[in-house]
Amino acid sequence: MQVLSGRSVLVQTVVDGLGAPDAVGVVLVGEAGIGKTAIAREVAHQLQDSVQVIPVRGGVGLRLIPYGALSRYLVGLSPADAGSPSAVLRHFMRHIAPELRHQAAPVILVDDAHNLDNESALLIMQLATARKVKVLATARQVPGPVGEFARAAKDGLLAHHLVEPLTLPDIRELCEQVLGGPVLTGTARMLAVTTRGNPLLLTMLLEQFRGQGYLVARNGVWRSQGPRPAIGAPLADLLLHGLGERSGAELAALEAVAVQGRVPLASLEAEVERGVLARLAQERLIEVDPSNGQFVSLRHPLHAEALRGSITAARALDRAETVRAALPEPPRDPSGLAAWVASALRTSSPVGDPVLLRSARVANRLHDPRLALDALRAVREPSPTPAYLLEAAWVQAADGNRQLARVLLDEGLRTVGDAAVARDGAVLSLHLRRYLQEGTRALHGDVERWAGLLDASVDDDGGDPQAREAARAAVRLLRTSVEVLGGNLRGAADLEAAPVDAGLPAEVRLGHLTLLAHALTRTGRPQAASRALEEAQSLLEESPEHLLTYREAVSGEHLMSLIGTGAYDHARDRFHRCYPPDAESTFLLSGWLDVIDGSRSLQTGRFRDAREHLVLAVEAFRDVDGLHLLEWVSGAAAYACARAGDGSGARSLIDAHGPLEGGSDAVARRMGDAHVAAALGHLGEEGAVERLRSIAARAEGRYSLLVVATALDHAAVLGDRTALRPLAEVTRAFDGEAGRFLHRFAAAAAAGDRDALVTESEASRRRGYLPLAVRCLEEAALAGPAGAVARGIDRQLAALRAQLRVVPGGSAVPPAHGARLTRGEQVIVKLVAAGHTNREIAEIRGISTRTVEGHLYRIFAKLGISRREVLQQPDVVL
């Protein structure tokens, strides 16, 4: 049943199609292992109570035998009649006569119709067109159904359905069924690319990888760990069996591409006949990537792996040399260089040290430490250079050995004389300091150290004035970055006031734009940040290898800015453009997709979906957290759990919150603190509002406006209406849709503008921001006296809350209503029910009248009411 993940719609379509009175039949077409037979069997299972199913199976050995597929139904047919189509037809009809007596026509289920003999196909189609039977056939895409079925499908007699590969959600569902728990999005994407969505191959890999310990469960989430093992013998044999009918020339071409990894089409055409390549492309064994100079690769990654494992080392070297003779120099693009060097290393072909170091750098920046390590091991220079030690440090950092990485980095940069190596070392050093939680003093010390290194490298180059200005600009950026990462965003205004000089090196301009965007996003201006990052992206595209060190920071900041504006679809598109599905780094960085989807779900009130995505993002970011956002994401996940009613999940995340492994920058840490405080409030703990106001006050002193707004907004949701006015003030300059919505709500609520609140509620509802739409009406209900208008608002509010309860993936509990009343709130409800005024309650409880009002606001929100009189009714449930 696992292979039917994602197939329910197709199964129902086929069942309905066969049930139509005028239907002749259906043919399911797809590649081997895609699940055609499983779908057909499920259809037969669903039809078994209403129609009879007659199984027929094609076979390679029966293809040339007339009526070979029907032999089981032709027992007793005389040799004289075997050559007569009419006699065969009569004999077959007699055999299935009991089925024909049923009211509904029986269904002939033809499996592997591409291997059906022509005579059997003709007989079956004659019966089908005569409305004696219906046909359900499965066939491979190549060579396709046998001629008679293919003509029937072309003429519209047989409904033709292409069985597509599983989508990523389908793959996640199948993984969860097989493994018994959720799977990291990155791991699911790796499996999707490796298997190309083929459920048979996916199931076999899941069982193999789980048995080998490559797939493990951590914190209840399945994930891959370490280098991926080679595919096992059963799967390799299955894949090679499918290639068994290839000609010698075709197999040689396939092996050459498998060994090389990816080959320019022009180079391959110089060595392989066009007709051979045309057949391989037509049968979907190879594919051409139209970008980057028309590169050819095997369509299925597992075919490449199986072929590489099946040939001897000598033959692999011969195949590689065949292609490399037409491609003597390594490609210039990063992914092409990595594939070229990987092929050379597999076949023990000689590669110069400079190319090996280039490939190690590329592999490290593309999150492929295994290739980087292989390249470094092949370097023949007897004493390690600073560049070598830097890449070795990157490898160790990626493997989690950060102390060793620190030692290697310090040793390498002790004698560095190359400004580019020094700048790359500065980036790695900042990451290591933050991971090792060594504090701002260590970061400041690093900056001064890098200043000396950069100055020294300029002096070694002859003291060029332009190079010296570039070094000074780089040092200024490093000093500013330490302040920004420490949470002080006031100094970041200088970055916006002084545009970066176009004459500076691209890496300095890129660093300036990225740091500026970082600060803009965290001061509530993600739209301005996104504009800066568009320019940064264009710089990356102009010189990809040279600037690879900065790619992840630019891409991550761009995603953060788009999430901040509420442009979630744009953020997903940006991720896929930055990290194509076949890139190694996409598997590691796919936690971003969960951050995007989780953030959207929070905004739209789908708290269960938000919980699912953000919990997965936390697990992904534990390993790869280039922007050090783990505490931010972890706090948001705890908040999502609390809003979804998952108290134990929220408590677990709260208990583990800060400092988390991997650390974070100061703003990320405070954002996480704000979300955790809000989660505690929704779990019913007292003091959450006071904690949020304290977080806001501290953040305001350092100009961390996003933290201020987040904390105040959470406080307002928890009933602190005094937070509304400062929330309106701090969000006044926010840009982006999400920020503007929040500002208009807070301003209208603080002013008690009922009309504006109703208008904003409708605008929020249209945009899908249901929690904010509800909050607008809750404030509107408090903004004026009772009457017809108030009753209309109450009806709208009830309708919106009902809509929020049933939204797909939404919480069963509307916003702000997920927590039970605290003991103090229960006392206040009893005093209200007894008829006491707010002032009397304040005197009885020894608190201020404003505090009583705040408690009542939270009580109204938790109980889903908007009138004090409701609390005086006898059926109120506390």
Side-chain angles (χ1 to χ4, degrees), residues 256-327:
V257 177
V259 170
Q260 184 64 28
R262 56 198 292 267
V263 184
L265 179 59
S267 301
L268 199 58
E269 286 177 333
E271 302 294 330
V272 181
E273 293 181 8
R274 282 182 176 269
V276 171
L277 294 179
R279 285 195 299 275
L280 294 176
Q282 183 180 10
E283 298 186 23
R284 298 165 60 85
L285 291 172
I286 63 172
E287 60 185 4
V288 180
D289 178 4
S291 63
N292 297 325
Q294 296 276 323
F295 275 95
V296 177
S297 59
L298 291 190
R299 181 178 178 273
H300 209 297
L302 291 178
H303 276 151
E305 190 170 342
L307 284 167
R308 286 197 296 267
S310 69
I311 60 179
T312 63
R315 200 161 93 203
L317 180 58
D318 178 64
R319 298 292 189 240
E321 291 301 327
T322 298
V323 175
R324 199 168 288 127
L327 184 66

Side-chain angles (χ1 to χ4, degrees), residues 665-753:
D665 66 29
V667 173
R669 191 159 52 248
R670 292 178 187 132
M671 286 293 290
D673 291 344
H675 289 311
V676 163
L680 289 170
H682 285 281
L683 293 175
E685 290 203 9
E686 302 227 21
V689 169
E690 290 74 11
R691 184 172 171 179
L692 286 164
R693 295 303 293 264
S694 175
I695 291 170
R698 291 199 306 273
E700 188 172 13
R702 300 177 71 82
Y703 207 62
S704 296
L705 301 185
L706 184 62
V707 177
V708 177
T710 301
L712 291 174
D713 188 37
H714 280 315
V717 169
L718 290 171
D720 182 11
R721 301 188 72 251
T722 64
L724 291 170
R725 192 169 300 281
L727 177 60
E729 288 299 320
V730 80
T731 56
R732 186 180 301 278
F734 278 25
D735 64 16
E737 181 183 77
R740 289 193 293 267
F741 266 104
L742 183 60
H743 169 70
R744 291 196 298 267
F745 156 73
D753 188 338

Side-chain angles (χ1 to χ4, degrees), residues 567-650:
Y568 303 110
D569 290 333
H570 189 180
R572 287 185 67 88
D573 291 342
R574 170 56 60 185
F575 176 85
H576 291 304
R577 284 200 298 274
C578 292
Y579 305 108
D582 59 346
E584 187 73 20
S585 55
T586 191
F587 310 141
L588 298 171
L589 298 172
S590 293
W592 275 112
L593 293 174
D594 288 307
V595 174
I596 295 166
D597 291 340
S599 300
R600 186 208 301 262
S601 296
L602 278 180
Q603 192 87 327
T604 56
R606 294 176 291 125
F607 297 114
R608 290 197 301 273
D609 283 353
R611 171 196 171 278
E612 176 186 345
H613 287 296
L614 291 173
V615 167
L616 290 175
V618 169
E619 291 305 313
F621 276 35
R622 289 186 197 278
D623 291 334
V624 179
D625 184 14
L627 299 187
H628 300 268
L629 299 172
L630 180 56
E631 291 183 72
W632 187 337
V633 177
S634 175
Y639 177 72
C641 287
R643 297 304 301 270
D646 179 11
S648 61

Side-chain angles (χ1 to χ4, degrees), residues 349-367:
S349 301
V351 182
D353 284 357
V355 174
L356 288 170
L357 283 174
R358 269 184 64 206
S359 65
R361 183 177 184 276
V362 165
N364 272 325
R365 305 314 181 268
L366 296 180
H367 294 280

Side-chain angles (χ1 to χ4, degrees), residues 516-538:
L516 171 62
H518 177 101
L520 288 171
T521 297
R522 287 150 181 79
T523 52
R525 297 175 59 199
Q527 203 165 51
S530 185
R531 289 193 294 270
L533 289 163
E534 290 289 352
E535 183 179 349
Q537 290 285 0
S538 66

Side-chain angles (χ1 to χ4, degrees), residues 206-564:
L206 286 173
E207 296 292 356
Q208 175 194 333
F209 288 166
R210 177 169 57 180
Q212 293 175 324
Y214 174 63
L215 289 179
V216 297
R218 189 173 80 185
N219 296 325
V221 178
W222 285 87
R223 58 191 297 114
S224 55
Q225 67 170 13
R228 183 172 75 76
I231 58 175
L235 181 52
D237 291 343
L238 175 68
L239 293 163
L240 293 173
H241 177 74
L243 301 176
E245 297 181 17
R246 305 264 67 84
S247 70
E250 291 170 345
L251 194 58
L254 290 172
E255 289 176 349
V257 177
V259 170
Q260 184 64 28
R262 56 198 292 267
V263 184
L265 179 59
S267 301
L268 199 58
E269 286 177 333
E271 302 294 330
V272 181
E273 293 181 8
R274 282 182 176 269
V276 171
L277 294 179
R279 285 195 299 275
L280 294 176
Q282 183 180 10
E283 298 186 23
R284 298 165 60 85
L285 291 172
I286 63 172
E287 60 185 4
V288 180
D289 178 4
S291 63
N292 297 325
Q294 296 276 323
F295 275 95
V296 177
S297 59
L298 291 190
R299 181 178 178 273
H300 209 297
L302 291 178
H303 276 151
E305 190 170 342
L307 284 167
R308 286 197 296 267
S310 69
I311 60 179
T312 63
R315 200 161 93 203
L317 180 58
D318 178 64
R319 298 292 189 240
E321 291 301 327
T322 298
V323 175
R324 199 168 288 127
L327 184 66
E329 297 297 327
R332 297 185 63 85
D333 68 291
S335 56
L337 172 67
W340 192 92
V341 171
S343 168
L345 293 175
R346 281 196 300 267
T347 56
S348 301
S349 301
V351 182
D353 284 357
V355 174
L356 288 170
L357 283 174
R358 269 184 64 206
S359 65
R361 183 177 184 276
V362 165
N364 272 325
R365 305 314 181 268
L366 296 180
H367 294 280
D368 189 357
R370 181 168 54 175
L371 174 58
L373 187 57
D374 289 344
L376 291 173
R377 284 171 174 165
V379 170
R380 290 181 294 278
E381 175 68 33
S383 58
T385 63
Y388 179 100
L389 290 168
L390 171 62
E391 298 313 321
W394 276 94
V395 170
Q396 295 301 326
D399 201 33
N401 302 321
R402 298 186 180 100
Q403 292 287 2
L404 177 56
R406 180 81 256 169
V407 172
L408 290 169
L409 179 63
D410 290 342
E411 176 62 23
L413 295 174
R414 188 169 53 84
T415 58
V416 69
D418 186 321
V421 174
R423 278 191 291 266
D424 275 7
V427 173
L428 178 58
S429 184
L430 287 176
H431 281 302
L432 290 174
R433 294 292 188 201
R434 291 157 72 187
Y435 271 118
L436 297 172
Q437 300 178 17
E438 292 178 339
T440 304
R441 179 177 299 178
L443 291 176
H444 279 293
D446 261 359
V447 168
E448 300 314 314
R449 180 186 183 193
W450 299 126
L453 288 171
L454 291 172
D455 281 340
S457 68
V458 171
D459 291 338
D460 290 343
D461 289 340
D464 177 62
Q466 191 172 11
R468 188 168 298 283
E469 176 54 32
R472 288 171 180 163
V475 170
R476 286 195 299 271
L477 277 176
L478 283 169
R479 286 174 175 151
T480 304
S481 68
V482 171
E483 292 300 317
V484 170
L485 296 175
N488 186 2
L489 299 180
R490 290 191 178 278
D494 297 338
L495 293 169
E496 191 174 14
V500 63
D501 187 346
L504 290 174
E507 56 265 35
V508 177
R509 293 156 58 201
L510 199 60
H512 179 105
L513 291 168
T514 306
L515 190 59
L516 171 62
H518 177 101
L520 288 171
T521 297
R522 287 150 181 79
T523 52
R525 297 175 59 199
Q527 203 165 51
S530 185
R531 289 193 294 270
L533 289 163
E534 290 289 352
E535 183 179 349
Q537 290 285 0
S538 66
L539 285 173
L540 278 177
E541 291 165 6
E542 291 171 8
S543 181
E545 184 180 333
H546 180 49
L547 301 175
L548 274 179
T549 299
Y550 308 94
R551 185 185 72 150
E552 188 178 329
V554 172
S555 301
E557 290 295 350
H558 206 166
L559 294 175
M560 286 297 295
S561 69
L562 293 171
I563 291 169

